[in-house]
Amino acid sequence: MENNDESALSDKANQLSDTDQEILDQVKKLPISEEKKNDIIATMEMYSGPIPHPKILAGYQSLYKNAAEEIIENGLDESRHRRTLETARQTRRGHLAWASMIILAFFSVAFIIGSFVLIVNGHEVIGSIFGGGAFITFAATFLNNITELTSNDDIASSKEEQK
């Protein structure tokens, strides 16, 4: 029975944040019996979110008549504001993606035309290298932009943070 309790606690611990896990570890290190440790852990309440725990919210409400309503409204306003900022950021990313693709296509076409002119004027080798290099640059940059713009990690500001 005790082994099942430990495995259940272990499974639950895998779902906890680092802070919650640290609190549980501190409770487990207390110089008290295992039964008391299990009682403490069983009665612990862990809560996180933009709005306080309902018991805390009730305490604020008892101090100030409209406190709970204002706290909830503030949380909702914050959420709306964050979504507005994320939408604006994604729109900017889309505009930058289109601008980079158009500029990339313009330069690639210019290099290919330059390559054609070189080949027509008798510089087949350098013209081929020039055109092939332009095509490879175009394809690689295009694929890199697609990968970067479709990545799920919008918060990371550098490639190091995305790994």
Side-chain angles (χ1 to χ4, degrees), residues 83-110:
R83 277 189 232 117
T84 301
L85 291 176
E86 288 174 359
T87 300
R89 183 170 188 265
Q90 288 303 102
T91 302
R92 265 193 321 274
R93 283 185 71 175
H95 291 157
L96 287 172
W98 277 106
S100 71
M101 293 298 171
I102 290 168
I103 291 169
L104 178 64
F106 172 77
F107 279 107
S108 294
V109 168

